[in-house]
């Protein structure tokens, strides 16, 4: 039946005669069938729901524009995704032990979690850091801590991702310095820094400086690394935290790509070529609970970004059009009630990421709604990825869900609705302006509120939370950070400050401040200060003196 109009008519007749009489028996389910972005889901999808542009324009082949079906021609037939478990807690010594354990268990890349003081530019001995040292990640005060963190881990053989934004330049400088001490040339380093400050203003809050200063630091990193670290991804444009803040699938795609547009515009303004730096852009997405919708989301994001780079920015190198992304399973979907259920949630979310074509993946541990993951729960999370890779058969062919009437229709809808958001953001004057006016935050808050109402009304079922409840004993095996770690970290920092060359530190910070007052690229000055063992807090405070701090506007 090749006639779309004829097929549409037959489908409507089938629904009228066969489907509706049966569905009237289940009135309580009438309003349940909607996407996360509140779009109706039809009972059946057929060829008339496929992309109107046809196969060549809408889908194409893997490794070719518009990359709907994947960024590599062979995908997982050639190489599996990087299994990159996010970890970091307490001191550098403890985190190093966890990293070495994970690598011994088959993990293929590292992903570093930093504590809150490190993320917002305070040393462990700063009064602002009290009570937070080592709690949600590893405490890094100086190059000395970074040396310990990667002791025994060859940086020319391991790819490292660092979830760090406001202080990204400082941590990357430390990573380069550690590599040099190992004898590794910076050009051989591989990995990613998140370095995505716009989403901090939107969703996460670990910002320091005003947007203009933050964007300067980001483009300085782009410029430096394009010459010195050609294999390192200089930004991971993050939709993950936008989704965690309450956005739906369309908003995650739209706001993430809008951030990407702002970074590309800023880099071009600084004189950089998008055909070159575009190859080192990477993205970071959430994998949520709606299995097929998430697969479609990844495919839509990939296609839309390729069009943006080609049509909006005139990029001609297809490698600079590729949306390469890391995925983490949804932290906000983990429940403290019946925590073992989280193993199943994570497995489906991970499978959606793989079927959506991710380049690297972190699977959450089932106990993360209760505390930091234990070694046993981390192992189960890693084994989840390995089972998907080795036992399920989903890696045998590229994009096995491609051509699904429903998935292709969802992919189209997500792309269209995300494009509408991008137009709205353009009309507001761009992403920075939209963030400063609170438009993005309001959209996310509205969506998050409506989702919570659905849970409370049981329109959205969360197993073990609002349905299928059971009596259970609280989990006893929870990893907790010993408060004495803070004292040890402060003492270690004090010893370093007494031992280092204070005059060299003072001179390096003075030169950094002078550069910040001017227009020079700041990264070489930060790297020099790091190598003198200036602390993260000292470097951050030097920049605070010049740039000031950002104060979030009240969202009404």
């Amino acid at each position: 039946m090749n006639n779309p109009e004829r097929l549409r008519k037959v489908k409507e007749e089938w629904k009228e005669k066969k489907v509706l009489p049966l569905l009237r028996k289940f009135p309580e389910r009438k309003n349940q069938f909607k996407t996360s972005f509140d779009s109706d889901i039809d009972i059946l999808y057929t060829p008339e729901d496929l992309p109107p542009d046809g196969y060549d324009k809408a889908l194409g082949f893997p490794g070719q524009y518009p990359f709907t079906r994947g960024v590599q021609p062979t995908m997982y037939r050639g190489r599996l995704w990087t299994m990159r478990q996010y970890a970091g807690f307490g001191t550098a010594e403890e985190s190093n032990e966890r990293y070495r354990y994970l690598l011994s268990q088959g993990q293929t890349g590292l992903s570093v979690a930093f504590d809150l003081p490190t993320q917002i530019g305070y040393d462990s001995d700063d009064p602002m850091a009290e009570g937070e040292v080592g709690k949600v990640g590893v405490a890094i005060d100086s190059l000395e801590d970074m040396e310990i963190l990667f002791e025994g881990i060859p940086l020319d053989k391991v790819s490292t991702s660092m979830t760090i934004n406001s202080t990204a330049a400082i941590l990357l400088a430390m990573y380069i310095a550690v590599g040099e001490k190992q004898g590794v040339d910076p050009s051989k380093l591989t990995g990613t820094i998140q370095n995505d400050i716009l989403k901090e203003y939107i969703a996460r809050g670990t910002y320091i400086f005003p947007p203009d200063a933050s964007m300067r630091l980001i483009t300085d990193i782009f410029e430096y690394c394009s010459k010195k670290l050609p294999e390192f991804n200089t930004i991971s444009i993050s939709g993950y935290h936008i989704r965690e803040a309450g956005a739906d699938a369309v908003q995650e795609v739209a706001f993430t790509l809008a951030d990407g547009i702002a970074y590309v515009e800023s880099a071009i303004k600084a004189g950089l070529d998008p055909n070159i730096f575009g190859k080192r852009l990477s993205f970071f997405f959430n994998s949520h609970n709606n299995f097929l919708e998430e697969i479609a989301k990844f495919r839509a994001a990939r296609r839309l970004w390729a069009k943006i780079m080609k049509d909006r920015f005139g990029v001609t190198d297809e490698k600079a059009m590729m949306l390469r992304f890391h995925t983490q399973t949804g932290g906000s979907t983990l429940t403290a009630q019946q925590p073992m259920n989280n193993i199943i949630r994570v497995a489906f979310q991970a499978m959606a990421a793989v079927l959506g074509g991710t380049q690297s993946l972190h699977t959450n541990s089932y106990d993360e709604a209760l505390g930091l993951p234990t070694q046993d729960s981390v192992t189960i999370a890693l084994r989840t990825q390995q089972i998907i890779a080795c036992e399920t058969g989903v890696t045998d062919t590229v994009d096995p869900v491609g051509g699904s009437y429903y998935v292709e229709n969802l992919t189209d809808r997500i792309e269209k609705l995300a494009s509408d958001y991008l137009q709205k953001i353009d009309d507001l004057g761009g992403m920075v302006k939209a963030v400063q006016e609170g438009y993005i935050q309001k959209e996310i808050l509205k969506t998050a509120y409506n989702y919570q109402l659905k849970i409370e009304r049981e329109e959205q079922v969360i197993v073990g939370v609002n349905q299928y409840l059971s009596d259970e004993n609280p989990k006893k095996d929870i990893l907790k950070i010993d408060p004495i770690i803070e004292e040890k970290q402060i003492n270690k920092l004090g010893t370093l400050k007494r031992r280092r060359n204070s005059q060299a530190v003072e001179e390096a910070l003075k030169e950094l401040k002078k550069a910040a007052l001017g227009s020079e690229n700041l990264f070489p000055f930060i790297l020099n200060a790091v190598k003198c063992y200036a602390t993260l807090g000292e470097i951050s405070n030097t920049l605070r003196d010049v740039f000031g701090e950002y104060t979030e506007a009240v969202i009404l």
Side-chain angles (χ1 to χ4, degrees):
M1 192 177 293
N2 295 323
N3 187 321
E5 288 302 320
R6 170 66 177 154
L7 179 57
R8 190 174 291 111
K9 182 178 179 182
V10 171
K11 178 180 172 182
E12 291 305 314
E13 289 175 353
W14 168 78
K15 288 169 71 173
E16 185 69 30
K17 293 178 181 179
K18 298 288 187 182
V19 176
L20 294 179
L22 294 173
L23 289 181
R24 291 188 186 103
K25 297 178 181 180
F26 307 101
E28 72 280 1
R29 303 200 72 193
K30 181 179 178 181
N31 297 319
Q32 289 186 4
F33 304 106
K34 289 183 178 291
T35 64
S36 72
F37 45 95
D38 210 30
S39 179
D40 289 332
I41 299 173
D42 204 346
I43 191 171
L44 184 73
Y45 288 82
T46 61
E48 46 99 11
D49 296 299
L50 288 174
D53 288 341
Y55 184 89
D56 287 349
K57 288 186 177 180
L59 298 177
F61 289 91
Q64 294 179 11
Y65 181 88
F67 306 104
T68 311
R69 306 199 68 182
V71 294
Q72 300 296 339
T74 57
M75 287 304 289
Y76 308 132
R77 284 275 287 256
R79 185 176 68 180
L80 292 174
W81 62 91
T82 301
M83 298 179 190
R84 193 189 297 280
Q85 291 300 108
Y86 184 51
F89 60 94
T91 63
E93 289 87 350
E94 289 174 299
S95 292
N96 174 265
E97 185 178 339
R98 175 64 64 86
Y99 295 156
R100 294 171 76 163
Y101 168 76
L102 287 169
L103 290 170
S104 75
Q105 295 300 304
Q107 179 173 299
T108 53
L110 297 176
S111 185
V112 184
F114 298 98
D115 72 357
L116 188 57
T118 302
Q119 292 181 50
I120 54 178
Y122 293 110
D123 288 334
S124 296
D125 60 358
D126 193 295
M128 291 292 289
E130 186 175 353
E132 293 292 340
V133 176
K135 287 292 177 68
V136 298
V138 61
I140 299 293
D141 291 318
S142 70
L143 176 58
E144 181 178 67
D145 290 323
M146 205 68 150
E147 291 166 353
I148 295 168
L149 186 67
F150 291 104
E151 185 177 353
I153 299 172
L155 298 191
D156 57 342
K157 293 181 173 62
V158 173
S159 171
T160 302
S161 172
M162 293 185 280
T163 303
I164 196 69
N165 298 282
S166 296
T167 54
I170 303 170
L171 273 300
L172 177 59
M174 291 180 183
Y175 191 76
I176 292 170
V178 171
E180 289 178 349
K181 284 177 175 287
Q182 290 185 2
V184 180
D185 189 271
S187 65
K188 304 297 182 184
L189 295 174
T190 60
T192 304
I193 47 169
Q194 193 161 100
N195 197 27
D196 176 8
I197 199 63
L198 289 178
K199 68 95 176 48
E200 296 298 323
Y201 302 122
I202 297 168
R204 196 161 171 265
T206 63
Y207 46 73
I208 302 174
F209 313 115
D212 287 347
S214 295
M215 294 295 279
R216 175 184 173 184
L217 284 166
I218 288 169
T219 53
D220 282 355
I221 291 171
F222 284 177
E223 182 182 26
Y224 182 88
C225 292
S226 67
K227 299 171 184 175
K228 303 289 187 180
L229 277 76
E231 299 300 317
F232 208 89
N233 296 324
T234 50
I235 194 166
S236 178
I237 305 162
S238 176
Y240 181 85
H241 303 96
I242 291 171
R243 190 64 178 272
E244 291 288 283
D248 60 36
V250 167
Q251 291 171 330
E252 182 184 356
V253 171
F255 300 157
T256 305
L257 300 194
D259 282 347
I261 289 168
Y263 295 131
V264 173
E265 288 174 340
S266 182
I268 291 173
K269 188 177 179 181
L272 303 181
D273 183 354
N275 283 293
I276 297 174
F277 74 79
K279 298 174 188 177
R280 301 322 314 165
L281 301 177
S282 66
F283 291 79
F284 175 23
F285 288 112
N286 193 301
S287 193
H288 218 264
N289 278 335
N290 192 313
F291 184 69
L292 295 172
E293 182 178 299
E294 291 301 289
I295 296 170
K297 177 190 77 180
F298 298 130
R299 300 168 90 251
R302 197 159 42 230
R303 185 162 71 202
L304 184 53
W305 183 249
K307 292 177 180 178
I308 288 168
M309 291 298 278
K310 182 178 182 180
D311 299 338
R312 183 169 185 148
F313 295 114
V315 168
T316 55
D317 190 326
E318 284 201 347
K319 289 185 178 180
M321 302 176 197
M322 293 178 180
L323 183 146
R324 297 166 297 113
F325 67 98
H326 170 71
T327 310
Q328 181 174 338
T329 57
S332 61
T333 70
L334 302 177
T335 64
Q337 302 92 327
Q338 302 178 24
M340 298 300 284
N341 292 345
N342 295 327
I343 296 175
I344 294 92
R345 291 187 179 101
V346 167
F348 279 113
Q349 293 165 7
M351 180 69 89
V354 170
L355 292 175
T358 193
Q359 276 60 68
S360 67
L361 178 60
H362 165 90
T363 33
N364 289 329
S365 300
Y366 70 86
D367 53 358
E368 288 188 48
L370 302 167
L372 289 171
T374 62
Q375 185 163 295
D376 285 345
S377 66
V378 165
T379 304
I380 290 171
L382 178 59
R383 295 288 181 257
T384 300
Q385 294 199 48
Q386 292 164 338
I387 289 168
I388 291 172
C390 301
E391 298 184 20
T392 64
V394 297
T395 62
D396 292 348
T397 189
V398 179
D399 188 28
V401 297
S404 158
Y405 305 138
Y406 179 48
V407 170
E408 298 298 357
N409 180 272
L410 265 180
T411 302
D412 272 9
R413 276 193 279 170
I414 292 171
E415 181 185 2
K416 171 63 170 62
L417 292 170
S419 296
D420 292 344
Y421 259 124
L422 291 177
Q423 184 59 58
K424 173 67 174 176
I425 291 166
D426 281 344
D427 292 343
L428 290 171
M431 193 57 168
V432 174
K433 187 77 170 176
V435 169
Q436 290 173 330
E437 292 184 1
Y439 169 73
I440 307 297
Q441 298 92 314
K442 288 177 185 177
E443 289 293 293
I444 295 173
L445 286 170
K446 182 169 62 177
T447 300
Y449 176 73
N450 289 334
Y451 182 72
Q452 185 60 36
L453 284 181
K454 289 180 181 179
I455 293 173
E456 292 175 7
R457 293 168 181 163
E458 297 187 16
E459 295 170 6
Q460 174 67 57
V461 175
I462 307 295
V463 174
V465 175
N466 61 2
Q467 286 192 30
Y468 309 109
L469 310 182
S470 64
D471 294 329
E472 57 184 343
N473 295 320
K475 189 176 184 294
K476 295 180 180 179
D477 185 19
I478 298 173
L479 179 61
K480 294 184 178 180
I481 301 301
D482 190 334
I484 201 171
I485 280 176
E486 184 167 330
E487 182 182 344
K488 288 181 177 179
Q489 185 69 15
I490 291 171
N491 289 338
K492 183 170 67 173
L493 179 57
T495 300
L496 170 73
K497 288 180 176 179
R498 290 190 294 272
R499 190 178 67 241
R500 68 187 182 179
N501 185 334
S502 298
Q503 185 176 348
V505 171
E506 185 178 341
E507 185 62 30
L509 293 175
K510 181 180 177 181
E511 290 299 313
L512 173 61
K513 185 172 185 177
K514 181 180 177 182
L517 288 166
S519 59
E520 291 182 83
N521 189 311
L522 296 179
F523 195 86
F525 297 93
I526 292 172
L527 181 59
N528 182 50
V530 159
K531 289 180 177 180
C532 295
Y533 290 88
T535 68
L536 175 133
E538 289 168 338
I539 295 170
S540 298
N541 286 336
T542 298
L543 296 176
R544 278 188 179 96
D545 288 345
V546 177
F547 299 142
E549 290 188 331
Y550 177 73
T551 302
E552 184 177 17
V554 176
I555 306 298
L556 299 175

